[in-house]
Amino acid sequence: MDQPEPTAPRGTLIDGVIETVRRRIASRSLTPGAKLPSVRAFARSAGVSTSTVVEAYERLAAEGAIRSRPGSGFYVESALAPLSLSDLGPRLDREVDPFWISRQSLEAEPGVLTPGCGWLPPSWMPEAGLRRALRTLARGEAESLTDYGPPLGFAPLRRLLSRRFADHGVEAPPDQIVLAESGTQAIDLLCRFLLEPGDTVLLDDPCYFNFHALLRAHRAKIVGVPYGPNGPDLERFAEACREHRPRLYMTNSAIHNPTGASLSPVVAHRLLKIAEEADLTIVEDDIFADLGDPSAPCLAAFDGLSRVVQVGSFSKTLSASVRCGYIAAPADWIEDLVDLRIATSFGGGRLSAELLHALLKDGGYRRHVEALRVRLAEATGETARRLKAVGVVPWIEPRAGMFLWCRLPEGVDASETARRALTEDVVLAPGDAFSLSRTAGGFMRFNVAQSGDPRLYDVLGRAMQAA
Amino acid sequence: MDQPEPTAPRGTLIDGVIETVRRRIASRSLTPGAKLPSVRAFARSAGVSTSTVVEAYERLAAEGAIRSRPGSGFYVESALAPLSLSDLGPRLDREVDPFWISRQSLEAEPGVLTPGCGWLPPSWMPEAGLRRALRTLARGEAESLTDYGPPLGFAPLRRLLSRRFADHGVEAPPDQIVLAESGTQAIDLLCRFLLEPGDTVLLDDPCYFNFHALLRAHRAKIVGVPYGPNGPDLERFAEACREHRPRLYMTNSAIHNPTGASLSPVVAHRLLKIAEEADLTIVEDDIFADLGDPSAPCLAAFDGLSRVVQVGSFSKTLSASVRCGYIAAPADWIEDLVDLRIATSFGGGRLSAELLHALLKDGGYRRHVEALRVRLAEATGETARRLKAVGVVPWIEPRAGMFLWCRLPEGVDASETARRALTEDVVLAPGDAFSLSRTAGGFMRFNVAQSGDPRLYDVLGRAMQAA
């Protein structure tokens, strides 16, 4: 706590106390509803008189920052200030707020180009298969249409997922798989299960921007580790483990968002060793894995679901409208995970799970993702070529996936470029939205499946020039 | 803190310190990861020597309850103890665990009778309408099948909900309505938005058992208020407001779960006055409202969405398999609520929302719920008659809904009865699962739509006799 000069005039001393309290509220060392130190205790520790503290508290109460409870003391006001995620961290520029890209992408009207969004356009999705699955369900059992699902989720889908895990080298029996409402909700459930407020979580820098938002909602402390072309910087990773004693590390390994990089086997192996020494749990969000090489390494395969828990969904390959995610976790977590899921979302999304199962079981899925991989590889080459023509250079040539993480020309600010492009109906994904350290101001993520329209490159070129 | 006798032998003093720390961890006044008082501070406050505290801390560290961080002090262990809901409150008997009824109902195999469950059987749901809606969607736009929904949720459904709210006297424009994955998830989102860990929430006693589980997941302190035939006991409610300064009150007003009672207008009015004085926010879960009189009073109608936020879903009247809930909230909450929803579950359930919209817009819904009300009224009379024949007496004759809250014959324990009935494939809902004070051991909730099979009354009679 900053200690005001005891020799300063009384007005300054009062302001000093007010400022100190405000700072402690802003930094959440005093959380809403918390009791402030007693007048006497504060006066003693700050080296000022009790009347100075009384006056400071009363002014803070008058402006609504704290509240007096007769006979009990002063409390940080909370009733009028519901939790706002934007208050939980430093106030970011609206351009690179973690929600900027989500909101702009989700709100985009027809005609708006969305190379900044993180999913495939409808024309890339298996529309005919989805229509077929809906018609199948329309003829199905009444229970499928009306009733809650079982606690772990629709069993045939969990059996199918178990076989898919086996194909990727992960031994996850169906009763170690829990369905969730979506991939995001699966991660959220794990955070609830594993984190206490104030726990530290390691994230890649850059990483998927929504990890930041999600972890702030859990009041976690986030520590970033620089991400390179083969995975996180291991020296910095080990250092962060020693220094911050994190509870969790959250990452995408098969295809990294936003960089498109893949974890190399040697990095995966060393990472797990460090995690073991630090007693660190890893949440591996493998939501893009099906777009990559099926034999690409994932941490869960190396580790065997002891320290690594894997999460996924089909929102990137089948449908984002049909919500369903899943978790493969250690056997002794399952009971408590399911209790927590029932408490917070009750009976699972049976219709969605049955729809996905109908789509997945007919073998068309494998052909669909193979076709997607070919189409994405072509679009990646084409998009890289066109971006280079306007001076935007991919950081790496990714082996798979939908993302190109690119460096803008020297001196061009990505956030400002994105803001300008938005006025011309193009939603871009500026680098700093993905970067905790905000060191990616010269980078931008492009979704190659959403970058086919030539108008993008005109708008981008103009916006960069203006920025 | 209990203060050990300073004159006791040193071994006893050490045990006293150990016991004190254990109790503070168990009661969560010391939460996992929290720093323990310094050895010196503890010794001073407990009136023992520092060497006594050092020895106590070291024994606690050896047994894994706390952990020493060199140079920093002692911390409550957390890495090895993932959050388990059952650890958050007093360990309840498995029979009356808040999850007991959910788990047994959700897991019930065909042939098991579930008079204890909280929803209608498939044969009561609008199966033909659901099949028709699925076929409509199968012919719909590709975006509906594949893409994320907008941040607030599918706009035509929000417009329809806004008109429904108006019919119930609640003015909620579409942009004050946010869709969620389910009614439970809607409440969960509000808890995240409104509660800090340690905040106090008022609940009816008895109330829907999952409120207990949900609030424990939010680490809220729960205070129960006795619920009578016309609503909560207002004197006790006001007293609880004065004494505990709660942040929230969570209730069902139109048809109360589990009692089937309805809030009377005069109680509603007085309740809102008390809430206003206490600056209390009310979450009104009106999930059963459509089963009752459309003109029945609800708190949101009296209050106009300033202090009352209303939550609902169609899981009780259309489908529990198609997950979709909604929140009507004050206008200035919406931006932050939506950010929080994106952070924790991303892009909403578009397919579910469009399916429900297709079902709701054709006018068949009104006829369906009217038919449901008639059928439920008949089943209520019939179930009450058959229950009375085995000595089980309804607490009130509810005006609407699916629940009969009943008193068992003198001396019969509901939890023991439920445990015995389960061995004969009947899932019952023992009263204490709904009661924070566990004063409903002689009560049981019956779902009249799930109580048509004569076998229930045989099994119930036998189980009560044995219990």
Side-chain angles (χ1 to χ4, degrees):
Chain A
M1 187 167 57
D2 289 3
Q3 197 158 323
E5 280 293 314
T7 52
R10 186 158 175 270
T12 317
L13 292 179
I14 294 169
D15 288 345
V17 171
I18 290 176
E19 195 44 45
T20 302
V21 173
R22 278 207 196 111
R23 212 174 307 132
R24 291 181 64 191
I25 293 174
S27 69
R28 296 183 84 77
S29 87
L30 275 171
T31 52
K35 189 173 177 182
L36 270 77
S38 72
V39 167
R40 199 178 302 272
F42 199 116
R44 199 166 44 231
S45 75
V48 298
S49 71
T50 52
S51 65
T52 298
V53 178
V54 165
E55 177 64 25
Y57 278 15
E58 261 160 15
R59 288 196 203 164
L60 283 162
E63 71 184 47
I66 66 176
R67 177 172 51 178
S68 149
R69 292 189 190 170
S72 163
F74 287 84
Y75 292 78
V76 180
E77 187 58 70
S78 62
L80 302 170
L83 170 68
S84 164
L85 286 181
S86 47
D87 296 340
L88 289 182
R91 178 76 204 172
L92 304 174
D93 290 336
R94 195 64 204 175
E95 290 92 88
V96 292
D97 183 305
F99 293 107
W100 191 86
I101 303 171
S102 324
R103 298 289 293 253
Q104 301 300 346
S105 302
L106 292 171
E107 276 162 11
E109 299 286 329
V112 172
L113 301 183
T114 53
C117 91
W119 54 91
L120 298 175
S123 59
W124 290 55
M125 293 303 225
E127 190 185 319
L130 278 159
R131 294 186 194 283
R132 203 160 49 235
L134 280 167
R135 288 193 300 267
T136 304
L137 224 65
R139 294 186 302 268
E141 304 277 331
E143 284 77 7
S144 307
L145 311 181
T146 61
D147 222 346
Y148 288 100
L152 271 72
F154 188 55
L157 180 58
R158 291 186 293 106
R159 286 196 291 270
L160 189 148
L161 289 169
S162 176
R163 292 192 295 274
R164 273 169 46 90
F165 273 115
D167 293 343
H168 290 83
V170 180
E171 201 189 317
D175 56 7
Q176 276 180 249
I177 298 174
V178 179
L179 302 189
E181 320 289 319
S182 67
T184 304
Q185 202 244 345
I187 300 172
D188 182 50
L189 189 65
L190 287 167
C191 286
R192 280 185 132 135
F193 182 65
L194 296 166
L195 295 180
E196 302 281 334
D199 277 355
T200 298
V201 178
L202 298 189
L203 289 179
D204 302 320
D205 189 347
C207 73
Y208 174 40
F209 50 77
N210 206 47
F211 287 167
H212 298 146
L214 180 62
L215 288 170
R216 277 189 205 153
H218 285 276
R219 301 160 203 272
K221 197 181 136 206
I222 308 175
V223 171
V225 175
Y227 201 85
N230 300 308
D233 179 326
L234 290 174
E235 223 164 281
R236 299 283 293 276
F237 192 93
E239 198 181 291
C241 285
R242 276 193 306 272
E243 198 173 320
H244 300 283
R245 311 189 69 86
R247 176 73 188 93
L248 272 189
Y249 167 53
M250 199 178 282
T251 189
N252 335 102
S253 41
I255 300 178
H256 183 254
N257 182 5
T259 64
S262 296
L263 199 64
S264 77
V266 58
V267 172
H269 177 68
R270 288 190 193 153
L271 187 69
L272 282 170
K273 266 187 67 180
I274 300 170
E276 196 166 328
E277 276 159 29
D279 196 14
L280 183 69
T281 299
I282 300 177
V283 173
E284 185 175 48
D285 174 14
D286 234 354
I287 201 155
F288 297 101
D290 282 349
L291 300 176
D293 179 356
S295 67
C298 68
L299 292 167
F302 282 81
D303 168 73
L305 292 184
S306 82
R307 167 169 315 286
V308 178
V309 46
Q310 205 175 66
V311 159
S313 91
F314 294 95
S315 60
K316 308 301 180 190
T317 51
L318 283 179
S319 169
S321 175
V322 182
R323 302 302 278 160
C324 184
Y326 54 85
I327 298 169
D332 56 348
W333 294 15
I334 300 297
E335 276 293 301
D336 286 333
L337 266 181
V338 169
D339 277 355
L340 197 53
R341 213 212 56 198
I342 290 176
T344 56
S345 69
F346 211 70
R350 179 165 180 168
L351 186 101
S352 297
E354 296 206 15
L355 250 174
L356 287 179
H357 181 252
L359 257 166
L360 287 163
K361 74 176 177 191
D362 77 353
Y365 181 68
R366 192 181 296 266
R367 289 190 300 278
H368 165 66
V369 292
E370 276 164 14
L372 270 187
R373 284 198 282 263
V374 172
R375 196 169 173 189
L376 281 170
E378 285 169 7
T380 301
E382 177 65 12
T383 305
R385 192 185 59 70
R386 291 160 94 180
L387 285 170
K388 281 179 198 153
V390 292
V392 174
V393 184
W395 179 63
I396 55 163
E397 300 281 354
R399 274 177 292 178
M402 66 179 84
F403 297 130
L404 274 176
W405 178 244
C406 300
R407 193 187 297 276
L408 302 189
E410 186 67 30
V412 175
D413 180 65
S415 298
E416 181 57 18
T417 303
R419 207 186 54 75
R420 287 177 185 268
L422 190 63
T423 65
E424 297 198 52
D425 285 344
V426 174
V427 176
L428 295 170
D432 273 352
F434 303 89
S435 170
L436 188 70
S437 62
R438 307 195 62 196
T439 50
F443 283 83
M444 206 170 256
R445 185 191 75 179
F446 290 89
N447 176 342
V448 301
Q450 305 264 12
S451 299
D453 193 315
R455 190 165 74 82
L456 159 63
Y457 303 92
D458 291 346
V459 172
L460 178 63
R462 266 200 308 279
M464 288 193 302
Q465 208 142 37
Chain B
M1 188 166 59
D2 290 3
Q3 197 160 320
E5 279 295 311
T7 52
R10 188 161 174 271
T12 317
L13 292 179
I14 294 169
D15 288 345
V17 172
I18 290 177
E19 195 44 43
T20 302
V21 172
R22 277 206 197 112
R23 212 174 308 131
R24 292 182 63 191
I25 294 174
S27 69
R28 296 184 85 77
S29 86
L30 277 171
T31 52
K35 190 174 177 181
L36 271 75
S38 73
V39 166
R40 200 177 301 272
F42 199 117
R44 199 166 43 232
S45 75
V48 297
S49 71
T50 52
S51 66
T52 298
V53 179
V54 166
E55 178 63 25
Y57 277 15
E58 260 160 18
R59 288 196 203 164
L60 284 162
E63 73 183 46
I66 67 176
R67 177 172 50 179
S68 150
R69 291 190 190 169
S72 163
F74 287 85
Y75 292 78
V76 180
E77 186 59 70
S78 64
L80 301 171
L83 171 67
S84 164
L85 286 181
S86 47
D87 295 341
L88 289 182
R91 178 78 202 169
L92 304 175
D93 290 336
R94 194 67 203 173
E95 290 92 88
V96 291
D97 183 305
F99 294 107
W100 191 86
I101 304 171
S102 325
R103 297 289 294 253
Q104 300 301 346
S105 302
L106 293 170
E107 276 163 11
E109 300 285 329
V112 172
L113 301 182
T114 54
C117 90
W119 54 91
L120 298 175
S123 59
W124 290 54
M125 294 301 226
E127 189 185 320
L130 279 159
R131 295 186 193 283
R132 203 160 49 237
L134 281 167
R135 289 194 299 267
T136 304
L137 224 65
R139 293 187 303 269
E141 305 276 331
E143 284 76 8
S144 306
L145 312 180
T146 61
D147 221 345
Y148 288 100
L152 270 72
F154 188 55
L157 181 58
R158 290 186 294 106
R159 285 196 291 269
L160 189 148
L161 289 169
S162 175
R163 291 192 297 275
R164 274 169 45 90
F165 273 115
D167 293 344
H168 290 84
V170 180
E171 200 190 318
D175 55 8
Q176 275 179 247
I177 298 174
V178 179
L179 301 189
E181 320 289 318
S182 67
T184 305
Q185 202 244 345
I187 300 172
D188 182 50
L189 189 64
L190 286 167
C191 286
R192 280 185 131 136
F193 182 64
L194 296 167
L195 295 181
E196 303 281 333
D199 277 356
T200 298
V201 177
L202 298 190
L203 289 180
D204 302 320
D205 188 347
C207 73
Y208 174 39
F209 50 78
N210 206 47
F211 287 167
H212 298 146
L214 180 62
L215 288 171
R216 278 191 204 153
H218 286 275
R219 301 161 204 273
K221 196 181 138 207
I222 308 174
V223 172
V225 175
Y227 200 84
N230 300 309
D233 179 325
L234 289 175
E235 224 165 281
R236 298 283 294 276
F237 192 92
E239 197 182 292
C241 285
R242 279 193 305 272
E243 196 173 323
H244 301 283
R245 310 192 70 87
R247 175 75 187 91
L248 270 190
Y249 167 52
M250 198 179 282
T251 190
N252 336 102
S253 41
I255 300 179
H256 183 253
N257 182 4
T259 64
S262 297
L263 199 64
S264 77
V266 59
V267 173
H269 178 68
R270 288 190 191 152
L271 187 68
L272 282 170
K273 265 187 68 179
I274 301 170
E276 195 166 328
E277 276 159 27
D279 196 14
L280 182 70
T281 299
I282 300 177
V283 173
E284 184 175 48
D285 174 16
D286 233 355
I287 201 155
F288 296 101
D290 282 349
L291 300 177
D293 179 357
S295 67
C298 68
L299 292 167
F302 282 81
D303 168 74
L305 292 185
S306 83
R307 168 170 313 287
V308 178
V309 46
Q310 202 175 67
V311 159
S313 91
F314 294 95
S315 60
K316 308 302 180 190
T317 52
L318 283 180
S319 169
S321 175
V322 181
R323 303 302 278 160
C324 184
Y326 54 85
I327 299 169
D332 56 346
W333 294 14
I334 301 296
E335 276 293 301
D336 286 334
L337 266 181
V338 169
D339 277 355
L340 197 54
R341 213 211 57 198
I342 290 176
T344 56
S345 69
F346 213 70
R350 179 166 180 167
L351 186 100
S352 297
E354 296 206 13
L355 249 174
L356 287 180
H357 181 251
L359 256 166
L360 287 164
K361 74 176 176 192
D362 76 353
Y365 181 68
R366 191 180 297 264
R367 288 190 300 278
H368 165 66
V369 292
E370 276 165 14
L372 270 187
R373 283 199 282 263
V374 173
R375 199 170 172 187
L376 281 169
E378 285 169 8
T380 300
E382 176 66 12
T383 305
R385 192 185 58 74
R386 292 159 95 180
L387 285 170
K388 281 179 198 154
V390 293
V392 174
V393 183
W395 179 63
I396 55 163
E397 301 282 352
R399 276 177 291 178
M402 66 179 83
F403 298 129
L404 273 176
W405 179 244
C406 300
R407 194 187 297 276
L408 302 190
E410 186 66 30
V412 175
D413 180 67
S415 299
E416 181 58 17
T417 303
R419 208 185 53 73
R420 286 178 187 269
L422 191 62
T423 65
E424 297 198 53
D425 286 344
V426 174
V427 176
L428 295 170
D432 272 353
F434 303 89
S435 170
L436 188 70
S437 62
R438 307 194 63 197
T439 49
F443 283 83
M444 205 169 257
R445 186 191 74 181
F446 290 88
N447 177 341
V448 301
Q450 305 265 11
S451 299
D453 193 316
R455 189 164 74 82
L456 160 61
Y457 304 91
D458 292 345
V459 171
L460 179 63
R462 266 202 306 280
M464 288 194 302
Q465 208 141 38

